[in-house]
Amino acid sequence: MKILVCISQVPDTTTKIAFTDGNTKFAEAGVQWIVNPYDEWYALVRALEIQEKGGSTVTLLNVGPAANDAVIRKALAIGGDDAVRIDADPKESYFVAAQIAAYAKSESFDLVLFGKETINYNGAEVPGMVAELLDAPFISQASKLEVEGSGIVCERPTEAGVEVVSSSTPVVVSAQKGMSEARIPNMRGIMAARTKPLKVVAAVAVDTLTEVTSFSLPDAKSAVKLISPDNMDELVRLLHEEAKVI
Amino acid sequence: MSVLIFTEAVNGKIKKSSLEAVTYGSKVAAALGTQAVALNLNPGGADLSELGKYGASKVIVGKNASLASFDSQVYTAAIAEVAASVGATVVVTVNDSLGKAVAPRLSARLKAGLVAGATTLPNTAIGFNVTKNVFSGKAKAHYNIVSAVKVISLMPNAVQPEANGSAASVEEVNLNIGVSAKTVIKEVKRASTDKIALPEAELVVSAGRGMKGPENWGIVEDLANVVGAATACSRPVADIGWRPHHEHVGQTGVAIRPNLYIAIGISGAIQHLAGVNQSKTIVVINKDPEAPFFKAADYGVVGDAFEIVPRLTEAFKKYKAGH
């Protein structure tokens, strides 16, 4: 199976979130960048597990500027045969999806894997867009993926229960918790990652559909109201009369 | 011109999140001076005329044999077909598991800008500006959708359903669709019906390492039962196997936004807060007054969970008996 794993670069989960330029840009100074956890822990590791059974190739793909190469190498240290970086500012979901779809189409991948969403934009938008642009089936937010013959079988938790869904290939899958366990890169992986091929591809032109006009921080929470441990009736009263949630 | 709202029904009832979406969509239509049209592809006996009360001028039921089972490609083609026939300039979906599978496809198909997880009505004074949460709830982004057609996937529980209108006419329309499903749902493993599904729960009781061991979860479950809440847990507790993984809420687990979140013996690491900080009201019970969770809480109780939780359960019992 020819597998493409799409990875995003995101700020580390403990990053303090702030904005500059009149709240139009994320403050990047001093930020530690990582591979989006859903992409790394679930999509990439599951692709590697499939590869370890034999007969598959794993290519990593990122849409971003040259500064992203360090994070791409971090992902390559966990595994994968090679990587591709589409050289562009990932300005919006549709732009990123169109880049990925153009590359995936030219290389005829059987399985295109994503994490379920990025931890910075939380949109879960790109995988579905790529599927539509490829005219391919899409299994979103899958918690399990097995190769069966020339197709795949996934589990997908929904509000009604866990769906067991099969699909032909080529197929797009976004992955969430349950699909695999995170791996820590070893020294051999880190050394090997330095020399794995990282191809840079020019971006295709895409119309702009959305623009971020500004960012803001959530309204400051008022200070916590402390209730005496001996007066739980008071807590219940406040939940009913003040918070009005029961 | 119109605003098209995609709705879902389960077990013969329209989902609450769909009522929210119709309420939202009818307000968008009013702002644009047009009508709101609701769409359903698999009503399963639900009375869809009721959607008129929430602001829909008309309800369309799309008919095609392939719609009996969900496939994102087929559903996207169906919604796009109806969107074209009613001249929709805005399509509204719910940002739930179906919406997350369909809205991005629809966006790419219609070349329509998407805001997934929208929490506000569009501000049409500055274009078509919609807000959503980003950085796992630690910030908000304000988006202008600049394409001619727009897709909004509405965050559940962001608006409340408002029933002010009267019943709408329901029209059945045969759809061509033109694509066939490449996925097959072979089975649905239903969650046990006596438990409340975590992502949809309005009340959640959650506990962490402060419980000291899985054998102590009885008092947590007692409280949840009395409150009528779903149970959840922190990541360490799921990782060491005290609780099942599907109960893990946080950045890498389930992100929830219930009306009430009661956290017992959870310190409140930033990754945990990312999954729960959209909750309307947060109650934190922790013996460490310095626990970071208190900074994110509305109500806090400092003390021993093993004493406080049974007392809180009793207090809820008393409250329930009187209401």
Side-chain angles (χ1 to χ4, degrees), chain A residues 60-71:
Chain A
L60 276 50
L61 183 150
N62 173 260
V63 179
N68 286 18
D69 285 354
V71 156

Side-chain angles (χ1 to χ4, degrees), chain A residues 37-67:
Chain A
Y38 297 110
D39 302 344
E40 177 185 322
W41 300 349
Y42 308 128
L44 174 57
V45 174
R46 187 65 195 132
L48 298 175
E49 289 171 354
I50 293 168
Q51 186 183 32
E52 282 153 15
K53 291 177 187 158
S56 293
T57 59
V58 175
T59 298
L60 276 50
L61 183 150
N62 173 260
V63 179

